[in-house]
Structures are given as C-alpha cells and as structure tokens.
Amino acid sequence: MLGFDYGTSNCALGIMSGDKPELISLADHGTYMPSSLYAPSREVIVNWLQQQLSPDAKAEFSGLRRFQLQKGQSMLRELALDDIPGDLFFGKQALARYLEDPSEGYYIKSPKSFLGASGLKPQQIALFEDIVAAMMTHVKQLAEQALQQDLHQVVIGRPVNFQGLKGEESNKQAIDVLTNAAKRVGYRDIEFQFEPIAAGFEFEASLERETRVLVVDIGGGTTDCSMQLMGPQLMPNLDRSPHLLGHSGQRIGGNDFDIQLALKGIMPQLGMDSLLKSGKPMPVNSYREAVAINNINAQTEFYSGANGRFLQQLKRDAEQPELVEHLIQVHQEKLSYQLVNSAEQAKIALSDCDNDKIALDYLNNRNKDETADVSRLLLLDAAKRELGSICELMQDTVKQAGCQPDAIFVTGGTAKSPVLREHLQAQYPDSQFIIGDNFGSVTAGLTRWSQRIFS
C-alpha cells in the first residue's frame, strides 16, 4: 500500500510505518528523485523499458510497440558502433549526463507537464507513456529493493487540472497515460487522489479541532487549491467529499517561476532588451520560446531549421551581434534546459539571500566570469503574472466554499520562497498561515489515504 507522488519536480514513494507515513529511500536518489530522464537517443527508451517488464507484460508491450522497438533496435546498433551503451539515467544523474554535452542525447525534465497537452499525436502520447513507465519502473524497483517486497497497490497523486485548456479532455488523457504506465510496470490496484486534498490529509493529522483549511499546493507544473473541513473527528471517514468545500487548479507552478526568472534575469545577456541597427527593439519571441521548456510547440519552433536561419539574420541586423550569438549558441547546442536550470538554482538561492549571481560561462568561452545578477525584487517582478494567477485560484476556491479559511496551508517546493510566501500571506492577513513540508506533504497524505482504502 503505497502513496506515489509522481511530481513535476520530484518523484517520491511513501509507506505507512505504524500510524505515520514514511518516505522510502530510493538508493542514491535519497527520498526524492528529480523528475527527469536522459537517454542516448529517444528511440531506445522503448527498448530499455521492454527489458524491465515481466514476461506477460513484455509480450503485450512487444505487440503494441513493434515498430518503435524495431526502430530502437536499429538505433542501438548505431550507438554500439560509437561504443555508447543504451542505458537510461534518472534524476540528478540524468541532469549530469545532459550537462556533459547538451547537444547530444535526449533529456526530458518534468514529463508530467506535458501529459495533458492538447494536440498530441498518438505516437507522442505513446512516447510519454513509455517515459512515465520507465521512470515508474526505476522508482518501483528501488523501492522494492529497499523494502524487500513486491509492491502492487498504489495511490497516485494528480492535480485538479493537468492543463488549462480542454479541461476534462486533458485530464482524461493524462490519467490514461499514468494508469497505463502504472499497470505496465506491475501495479495491480491503482487509485488517484487530488494532490491538494492529499496534502490536507497530512496537515489534518496535526489538528485538535474542526478547522476550515485552504490548502495551496504549488507544484512544479500546477497549482491546486482546495478548501477543506478538517479535524480529528472527520479523519476516519472514507468519503471526504462532503468536507471538500471548494477546489480549483491551473497549470502554473515552480517551472513557470524558473522560466520567467530565466527570461527576465538571463535573456537580457543574450540581447533580449537590445536594439536592432534600425533602432527598433529586438523581437522577443525567440527568447520566450528558448526557455519555454514546458511547451512542446514553442520548443519545436525554437529548434527548427527555419528559426536557426532567422536567428542568423537577427544577428546581422543587431546593434550588438555578439549578444545574439549567445542565443544562436543556445539553438545550436540545445541549451534550453541548462538556462532554466541556472534560473532554478538562483531561485532556490534567493530563498536564503536577497541577491544572487547566475554563472553563464557555458554561453561564452571567451569570458569565464560572465554572470547575470538576480534578486528577490527581480523574481517578484518576473513572477508577477504567476503570483496573480495563484491569488485568483485562492479567491475562486474561497468563493466556492462560501466562507473564509481559518488557516492557509501552503506546500510544494516553491512555497519555500519568501517572495511567494509574503505575497500570498498579504492576501489573507487574518488567517493563520502555515508552510508545510515543501516536498513531502503530498506523498505523506497519499500514503495515509492508501492505507485507508486498501486496508
């Protein structure tokens, strides 16, 4: 009986130890594995996954992915000629492999962000299903090694809405991907629970009386809010729907804060705020697409051959062509994830200090000391729209509930940021404001719910 937070930022599994949830150690990853994967080629993911499956699952999978497996086998032969193994890497190891040579291999961060995307073709959905299954397999194998037992029952967390567009259609697509992947890797009993409700279960365990709680779960890809009636007398109920007073969610999360900080803090160093020789401002669309790592269409457009030619023309037209040369380097070496990762590390650093410097030596071999200066004020300005949207979600949830919260419980990695915390607290100065376990609240709540429904 597991709680599984397949998160946009991190993956974590929990199991009950007595009356308390305990996160499972995932070997070298620790209790949290960053949600990222690296393969020497996208085509070989399916072949790696096939080798991990049980005989029955392998036979079914081989029938479903016959063409992809043949293509992957051909790619494995090509890689072998260059003495490159077909191994996959996960978490921090995946990021490290990508950073060794961003122009080679296939790296994906936060695949959960794409599961509800509209307009995906069947082959794209199949690829995401295989990526999710590969990550689930890796995590499940490590958990089974740690616990010395087979794992078959799981509650998986889900946001209220995976995607802002096409609401329930997007949600169904994402849930189908997660369900198919979980079945494929050996989970027999699979249930889902809203992430803000799960986070609320963990907070509820600390309450001594009935309380109206506004739970704000700011994940890597989505923000979910729920107003819940909680208390020790309500905890034993298996049907908590009467206690859910309102909920809302939107595709805004920590990744968006990273992207906006990259745009405001780094892209000026690449010429975004410079001028053309004509005196006109530099077109900004390519700069936005370059860091939009959670938007398939934007990334496809940025890395297209047509955009490469456009950037070369932009360099010729620029008043400071050496700056645009950096953007061309991003295009040629596929550095989008590296840029956003730099911004993410700066965002984390700004939790403890007012100012930070982002090292940009990978953009300029001639000047190893080049940096971009960022601050909490810059982060606040960069994330203005995202903060406003989160406040609107909170207001909408309170309006649905028809009452004010006694307490506001905020969880998720970005909740650690003082910029976010102070902005949200200012919206409800009369409510008790609590910051939960930045990463573990959802996993712990899912684990508690798993024990209740599977016992």
Side-chain angles (χ1 to χ4, degrees):
M1 296 180 288
L2 298 172
F4 187 6
D5 183 9
Y6 180 74
T8 305
S9 298
N10 294 283
C11 295
L13 278 172
I15 193 167
M16 291 300 291
S17 176
D19 61 349
K20 291 186 178 180
E22 181 178 297
L23 269 62
I24 301 168
S25 176
L26 303 174
D28 292 342
H29 300 297
T31 49
Y32 302 104
M33 185 190 85
S35 300
S36 54
L37 173 150
Y38 176 90
S41 168
R42 182 174 70 177
E43 287 76 18
V44 305
I45 295 171
V46 65
N47 301 76
W48 182 92
L49 177 59
Q50 183 201 39
Q51 296 305 311
Q52 315 303 314
L53 301 178
S54 68
D56 289 344
K58 186 181 292 187
E60 179 189 9
F61 187 65
S62 298
L64 289 171
R65 298 285 194 270
R66 184 174 291 108
F67 172 73
Q68 292 94 329
L69 286 165
Q70 291 172 351
K71 193 174 179 182
Q73 199 62 48
S74 176
M75 177 57 69
L76 284 169
R77 286 193 291 269
E78 288 185 32
L79 291 168
L81 292 174
D82 294 324
D83 201 28
I84 300 173
D87 299 328
L88 304 192
F89 296 87
F90 303 89
K92 290 180 181 178
Q93 286 186 339
L95 177 60
R97 296 290 292 199
Y98 161 72
L99 293 178
E100 283 177 13
D101 189 351
S103 63
E104 295 294 331
Y106 177 78
Y107 174 75
I108 183 165
K109 176 185 177 182
S110 309
K112 184 179 175 182
S113 298
F114 303 106
L115 301 187
S118 57
L120 291 183
K121 298 174 182 176
Q123 59 267 35
Q124 290 176 306
I125 293 175
L127 173 64
F128 282 120
E129 195 174 289
D130 295 341
I131 289 170
V132 172
M135 295 174 72
M136 284 186 173
T137 293
H138 180 67
V139 170
K140 185 171 184 282
Q141 288 174 345
L142 294 178
E144 288 178 336
Q145 290 169 17
L147 299 174
Q148 292 295 295
Q149 67 181 81
D150 293 335
L151 302 171
H152 300 295
Q153 296 179 313
V154 66
V155 174
I156 302 173
R158 57 152 294 182
V160 175
N161 287 308
F162 284 87
Q163 189 90 354
L165 305 173
K166 296 191 175 180
E168 282 312 307
E169 183 181 332
S170 293
N171 290 339
K172 182 181 184 305
Q173 175 180 290
I175 291 295
D176 285 347
V177 168
L178 290 169
T179 302
N180 291 338
K183 285 180 178 177
R184 186 155 292 140
V185 306
Y187 288 115
R188 289 198 301 261
D189 300 320
I190 304 161
E191 298 290 340
F192 290 88
Q193 180 58 272
F194 289 124
E195 289 158 353
I197 293 179
F201 288 151
E202 182 58 14
F203 178 59
E204 185 176 43
S206 68
L207 294 176
E208 297 178 355
R209 59 183 178 82
E210 191 171 292
T211 307
R212 293 188 300 268
V213 182
L214 177 61
V215 180
V216 185
D217 177 23
I218 305 170
T222 58
T223 292
D224 292 308
C225 298
S226 66
M227 180 80 90
Q228 302 174 41
L229 197 60
M230 299 182 187
Q233 288 77 32
L234 305 178
M235 283 181 64
N237 290 282
L238 283 177
D239 181 11
R240 298 302 301 270
S241 54
H243 311 142
L244 179 61
L245 307 179
H247 71 271
S248 58
Q250 196 172 335
R251 193 169 176 264
I252 300 167
N255 284 352
D256 297 284
F257 286 80
D258 304 336
I259 288 167
Q260 292 305 316
L261 186 58
L263 193 64
K264 288 278 189 178
I266 297 176
M267 285 312 197
Q269 303 287 91
L270 281 66
M272 188 177 74
D273 296 337
S274 63
L275 298 175
L276 301 175
K277 291 174 183 175
S278 64
K280 293 182 178 179
M282 180 68 65
V284 299
N285 198 48
S286 288
Y287 291 93
R288 294 184 184 279
E289 291 174 344
V291 294
I293 61 170
N294 56 359
N295 185 319
I296 295 173
N297 294 330
Q299 288 278 280
T300 300
E301 178 60 31
F302 178 74
Y303 286 109
S304 67
N307 191 52
R309 293 187 291 274
F310 171 75
L311 295 180
Q312 292 290 348
Q313 184 60 53
L314 206 60
K315 177 184 172 183
R316 291 190 287 270
D317 295 340
E319 196 173 74
Q320 296 174 279
E322 70 278 5
L323 297 182
V324 181
E325 181 63 38
H326 291 330
L327 187 61
I328 292 172
Q329 183 187 351
V330 172
H331 179 271
Q332 292 175 340
E333 299 181 15
K334 296 183 172 61
L335 297 177
S336 290
Y337 281 107
Q338 191 157 5
L339 286 171
V340 177
N341 181 65
S342 295
E344 180 185 9
Q345 298 311 308
K347 180 191 73 175
I348 293 169
L350 290 173
S351 296
D352 300 316
C353 58
D354 291 330
N355 300 280
D356 191 45
K357 289 183 181 292
I358 300 175
L360 298 175
D361 52 302
Y362 55 87
L363 286 178
N364 189 341
N365 293 327
R366 296 184 300 275
N367 183 1
K368 297 290 185 184
D369 297 325
E370 186 164 346
T371 60
D373 294 323
V374 292
S375 66
R376 286 183 181 176
L377 283 176
L378 179 67
L379 176 59
L380 180 62
D381 180 59
K384 211 164 18 181
R385 185 180 64 180
E386 286 69 26
L387 288 169
S389 296
I390 291 172
C391 290
E392 287 177 9
L393 288 175
M394 294 168 69
Q395 292 162 5
D396 179 51
T397 305
V398 170
K399 185 177 179 181
Q400 286 181 42
C403 58
Q404 291 296 310
D406 301 313
I408 298 175
F409 178 69
V410 185
T411 186
T414 307
K416 187 180 178 184
S417 170
V419 170
L420 176 91
R421 188 167 64 245
E422 291 166 10
H423 186 84
L424 297 187
Q425 195 163 5
Q427 313 304 309
Y428 295 91
D430 297 329
S431 297
Q432 182 186 10
F433 201 85
I434 304 103
I435 300 294
D437 180 342
N438 295 321
F439 295 114
S441 296
V442 171
T443 311
L446 293 171
T447 304
R448 288 182 183 277
W449 190 243
S450 178
Q451 184 189 48
R452 291 183 205 176
I453 64 172
F454 290 133
S455 292

